[in-house]
Amino acid sequence: MFLTKLSVLATLLALASAQFSPNYKDGRNGMVHLFEWKWDDIAAECENFLGPYGFAGLQVSPVNENAVIGGRPWWERYQPISYKLTTRSGNEQQFASMVKRCNAVGVRTYVDVVFNHMSANGNSRGTAGSQADPGSKSFPAVPFSTLDFNPTCSITNYNDPKNIRNCELVGLRDLNQGNSWVRDKIVDFLNHLVDLGVAGFRVDAAKHMWPADLAVIYGRVKNLNTAHGFNAGAKPYIFQEVIDLGGEAISKSEYTGLGAVTEFRHSDSIGKVFRGKDQLRYLVNWGTAWGFAASDRSLVFVDNHDNQRGHGAGGADVLTYKVPKQYKMASAFMLAHPFGTPRVMSSFAFSDTDQGPPTSDGSNIASPRFNSDMSCNNGWVCEHRWRQIYNMVGFRNAAANAQLQNWWDNGKNQIAFSRGNRAFVAFNNDGYDLSSSLQTGLPAGTYCDVISGSKSGSSCTGKSVVVGSDGRANISIRQNEQDGVLAIHVNAKL
Ligand SMILES: *[C@@H]1O[C@H](CO)[C@@H](O)[C@H](O)[C@H]1NC(C)=O
C-alpha cells in the first residue's frame, strides 16, 4: 500500500514536470537523425544546410563510450562501457562545440541515450579507452558492479512485463534503474548533457525499463540551459523508444504520461499506404484513429535506423531510401500533415544489415562529401538533402499552425489538402494521371512546386502552379512523373 502510494506520487511529480514540447525555435520545424555522423561534420551541417533550410532539430547517435566490436557494426554504439563522451563521432569538446554551433543557428540537439543496459558479455574495450569486464558485470569507468544489475536472465517472453524489463536483451547487461546509485549515474549523465546545451533525449529501449523508475529519473533532470537560448523553466523533450505494434504485454500508454514515444505504428501504416497496400483516401483521418498516440506524444517517422535494416520491429512494409519514389511521397505526406513531431531519417548506404558507417580506413568514420545539387556521396545517402524532403521542411515551416483544410480525394489513391491558406499539397499513387481543378485555399498568384524544383529569385526551376482568384488551380501529376507529389506554399510564391 505504502509502496503503491509512493509510486503514484512519483508518477504525479513526473507528470507535473513532463515536457512534450520539442523546444524548437519559433518558425522552425522538422528534426533529422544524422545517424553515425561525426560531431565536426554535424556542426558544419547546421551552419551550411540545416540552419539555412529551416530544420529545427537533429538527433545524434549515442554520445557516450561504447564497446569496440570487431568489424565495427553500427550497433556497437548501443553497447555502453561508460558515460565518458568519446565515441567514433568525436570527443566531448567536439560534441560541446557542435551543440553550441547548432544552437547558434537555431538547430536543437537531441541525444540518443542508452541507459537500459551496458555492453554484452565479451565486449570489453571502449571507444574512450576504458576497460570493462561485462562477463562479471564490471564497468569500472562508471563505476558499475554486479550490485547495479538485475540477475542474469534472457528476454524470451514478450507477454511478460517482468521478463521484458528485468532480463537481458540479446545478452546486454541489464541495469537496475530502481537502484539509487544507478539512478544517480544516469541523472548525472543526462544533466551533463543538459549543461552542454542539448534540448532533449531519445530514450533507447524505454520499453525495457519500468515507467515508475523512468518517472523518478526524468523528474530529477535539470531544466534546459538558458545560456543556450532556452526559456527559463523549459524541460528536456523526451521521446521514448517503445515499440508497440499491438499484441504484446507492454503498451505505449504506460509511457505517454512521461514523455513522447517513437510511434512505430506511424512508420508501419505510412509504409503500407504508400506501397499501395492501403488506399490514400483513407489518410483522411490520419492520427489517433489509426491507433497512434496523441499528436504531442508521437514522434513520427517513415523509417528509423533499426527498422530500415529489419532490426527491432516493423516488417517488410517499412519504406526506405531504397524505394525512392514511394519514400519521398511518404516523407512529403508526413511533413505536410500536422500530426506528430516528424523526424527525417538520414542514412548511410548499406547492403549488410550489420554494416557500420562509411570509414576512411575500416575504423575512422568518413565525412560526407557533397555533389553540386547538394546531395551526398562518399557512402552517405543524406535523405535530408533530397530536394523533395528539405523543401517539405520548408513547407512545414510555411504552414506553421494552420489547420488541415480542403481535403480532396478521387475515391482511390489521389488526394490533396491545404494547411489553411498557407500551403497546399497533392499526391498521385494511382496508375493513371491526376488532372483536376482543386481548391488550394491559397491567395491568387503563381507558385513554385517545391517538389519538382525550387524557387530561385522570381522564377521556379520546376513546375509553376497558377491559383485563380477563387483559390482553385489546375493540378496535374502524371503517373510516370519522377515524383508523385506536388506542393506549393506562401513562401514559394513567384
Ligand atoms: C484551368 O483550366 C481551365 C481549362 O483549360 C481554364 O479555363 C482555367 O482558367 C484554368 N484555371 C487556372 C486557375 O489557371
Side-chain angles (χ1 to χ4, degrees):
M1 187 69 172
F2 178 67
L3 273 177
T4 307
K5 274 186 184 157
L6 262 186
S7 68
V8 167
L9 182 65
T11 307
L12 287 173
L13 281 172
L15 270 177
S17 61
Q19 173 59 271
F20 309 109
S21 158
N23 303 300
Y24 289 158
K25 282 221 169 167
D26 285 349
R28 289 180 175 272
N29 209 309
M31 186 190 301
V32 57
H33 180 195
L34 294 175
F35 182 47
E36 290 273 16
W37 278 49
K38 290 187 288 187
W39 310 149
D40 290 352
D41 293 334
I42 293 179
E45 189 70 354
C46 282
E47 291 164 353
N48 299 330
F49 192 84
L50 300 178
Y53 284 91
F55 284 81
L58 63 96
Q59 180 189 317
V60 292
S61 283
V63 294
N64 61 298
E65 180 173 22
N66 63 264
V68 175
I69 294 177
R72 310 308 301 264
W74 64 269
W75 43 262
E76 74 169 37
R77 295 187 74 156
Y78 294 87
Q79 302 231 355
I81 291 288
S82 81
Y83 299 121
K84 293 180 180 168
L85 305 190
T86 299
T87 64
R88 279 206 288 173
S89 287
N91 61 29
E92 174 164 350
Q93 180 271 322
Q94 289 168 310
F95 179 72
S97 166
M98 178 210 96
V99 173
K100 196 171 179 188
R101 286 168 65 187
C102 291
N103 277 330
V105 294
V107 183
R108 301 311 197 185
T109 299
Y110 304 83
V111 178
D112 190 351
V113 288
V114 186
F115 56 78
N116 168 64
H117 56 260
M118 299 297 282
S119 183
N121 200 358
N123 305 313
S124 60
R125 189 172 63 82
T127 48
S130 304
Q131 292 293 327
D133 180 19
S136 63
K137 302 183 180 178
S138 171
F139 295 85
V142 180
F144 284 143
S145 71
T146 186
L147 300 171
D148 302 311
F149 294 85
N150 287 315
T152 303
C153 51
S154 297
I155 296 179
T156 53
N157 181 3
Y158 276 86
N159 292 316
D160 176 6
K162 283 202 183 97
N163 179 252
I164 297 169
R165 289 165 172 152
N166 292 346
C167 292
E168 295 179 347
L169 181 65
V170 295
L172 297 161
R173 294 316 204 181
D174 195 54
L175 284 167
N176 175 6
Q177 289 81 18
N179 172 313
S180 63
W181 175 258
V182 172
R183 287 178 176 174
D184 287 351
K185 292 291 126 186
I186 293 169
V187 170
D188 288 350
F189 168 51
L190 300 179
N191 279 337
H192 182 43
L193 294 171
V194 168
D195 288 341
L196 296 180
V198 310
F201 305 106
R202 173 210 181 249
V203 179
D204 184 67
K207 174 182 178 174
H208 297 280
M209 294 183 273
W210 293 98
D213 292 337
L214 293 177
V216 173
I217 291 167
Y218 300 163
R220 287 176 53 195
V221 177
K222 293 181 184 182
N223 292 342
L224 297 181
N225 188 343
T226 53
H228 284 263
F230 295 105
N231 295 330
K235 289 277 180 188
Y237 175 54
I238 288 175
F239 52 107
Q240 308 162 98
E241 187 203 11
V242 180
I243 302 172
D244 173 10
L245 293 167
E248 288 179 15
I250 291 173
S251 156
K252 64 193 171 205
S253 64
E254 296 173 55
Y255 295 86
T256 47
L258 304 172
V261 294
T262 51
E263 185 45 275
F264 279 80
R265 288 192 198 197
H266 180 283
S267 171
D268 182 57
S269 297
I270 210 167
K272 284 191 170 73
V273 170
F274 285 94
R275 281 183 188 273
K277 297 187 174 180
D278 231 340
Q279 294 194 348
L280 265 64
R281 68 180 169 120
Y282 296 131
L283 293 169
V284 66
N285 63 354
W286 189 243
T288 54
W290 287 65
F292 307 158
S295 185
D296 70 343
R297 309 297 154 98
S298 292
L299 186 287
V300 299
F301 49 99
V302 175
D303 62 333
N304 81 344
H305 71 277
D306 276 319
N307 72 12
Q308 70 170 189
R309 46 178 52 68
H311 285 237
D317 293 329
V318 173
L319 285 166
T320 72
Y321 74 88
K322 298 185 185 202
V323 198
K325 183 170 182 178
Q326 276 69 35
Y327 189 76
K328 291 170 192 172
M329 290 175 77
S331 299
F333 181 82
M334 172 179 76
L335 290 163
H337 199 281
F339 183 82
T341 299
R343 180 185 60 195
V344 170
M345 181 68 205
S346 187
S347 315
F348 57 81
F350 65 90
S351 47
D352 169 341
T353 67
D354 291 330
Q355 186 183 327
T359 67
S360 47
D361 56 4
S363 168
N364 288 297
I365 299 177
S367 294
R369 286 203 286 265
F370 307 111
N371 303 312
S372 58
D373 67 355
M374 302 200 293
S375 63
C376 292
N377 62 48
N378 209 28
W380 299 93
V381 179
C382 299
E383 294 90 325
H384 72 287
R385 278 176 169 259
W386 293 359
R387 181 187 65 244
Q388 298 86 345
I389 292 181
Y390 68 75
N391 271 350
M392 286 307 293
V393 169
F395 177 109
R396 192 172 187 83
N397 287 330
N401 295 323
Q403 300 291 308
L404 192 155
Q405 287 174 340
N406 296 306
W407 178 272
W408 169 88
D409 64 62
N410 71 340
K412 297 189 186 68
N413 294 298
Q414 298 179 355
I415 60 168
F417 60 88
S418 82
R419 295 289 303 278
N421 61 0
R422 307 278 307 162
F424 169 84
V425 66
F427 297 83
N428 180 11
N429 206 32
D430 273 329
Y432 47 90
D433 296 350
L434 184 168
S435 180
S436 291
S437 168
L438 300 179
Q439 178 54 250
T440 67
L442 293 177
T446 303
Y447 294 82
C448 180
D449 166 31
V450 298
I451 298 294
S452 58
S454 291
K455 188 182 169 193
S456 170
S458 57
S459 61
C460 178
T461 61
K463 295 192 260 184
S464 290
V465 177
V466 177
V467 173
S469 54
D470 58 356
R472 301 188 81 85
N474 294 322
I475 301 297
S476 163
I477 306 175
R478 294 187 312 281
Q479 62 159 310
N480 58 1
E481 276 186 51
Q482 193 186 346
D483 299 308
V485 191
L486 177 147
I488 55 179
H489 58 77
V490 289
N491 295 341
K493 195 163 186 256
L494 300 174

